[in-house]
Amino acid sequence: MNWNYSGRDDEEASLRKVLAHSACCFETDTILTGNGVDNPASYGTFPRLLGRYVRELRLLALPDAVRRMTGFNAERMNIRDRGRLARDLAADLVVFDPETIGDNWDQRPSGVETVVLNGRVVVEGGRFDRSARAGAVLR
């Protein structure tokens, strides 16, 4: 299936141009509520970038993609305690397999082994722990 989250397959060429541009950082504006049907972009945006556009299409290098998902965003948003690995910063980490990470339209992404949010494990062995409640509102 050929699709993108904007829902417009015919705009894939434009999307690739934007993603490849060095000023583009990656984010998603969706939220998981636990009610109804989740928006697949809530958990599939970053795995899609890493699987399709980094691994498969080689549109950009893995370190650059990770930087644009983390530190680059934090810098632009002036969030000083996130986006980098350093002492006394929030511990937000994702352990993934670059060979298998990918989005699955109607399922959780593949290749995500562990997620640590604010120093608390919220995904382990690919399984999400809803009771972890490790998120925090950033203003």
Side-chain angles (χ1 to χ4, degrees), residues 30-79:
T30 66
I31 187 169
L32 294 171
T33 64
N35 299 316
V37 178
D38 293 324
N39 182 331
S42 296
Y43 46 81
T45 297
F46 300 107
R48 179 160 185 85
L49 282 161
L50 295 170
R52 176 145 176 83
Y53 297 104
V54 172
R55 184 184 62 241
E56 294 173 14
L57 299 176
R58 300 182 190 275
L59 196 60
L60 60 157
L62 180 61
D64 187 37
V66 170
R67 181 188 70 82
R68 294 206 240 162
M69 295 175 180
T70 58
F72 192 34
N73 283 334
E75 278 177 42
R76 281 192 160 175
M77 299 297 289
N78 202 25
I79 302 172

Side-chain angles (χ1 to χ4, degrees), residues 2 13 19 22-23 27 29 31 38 46 63 69 81 88-89 93 111-112 128 137:
N2 182 19
L19 295 177
S22 63
E27 59 84 35
D29 61 355
I31 187 169
D38 293 324
F46 300 107
M69 295 175 180
D81 69 336
D88 297 326
L89 298 186
L93 306 166
V112 176
F128 175 61
V137 175

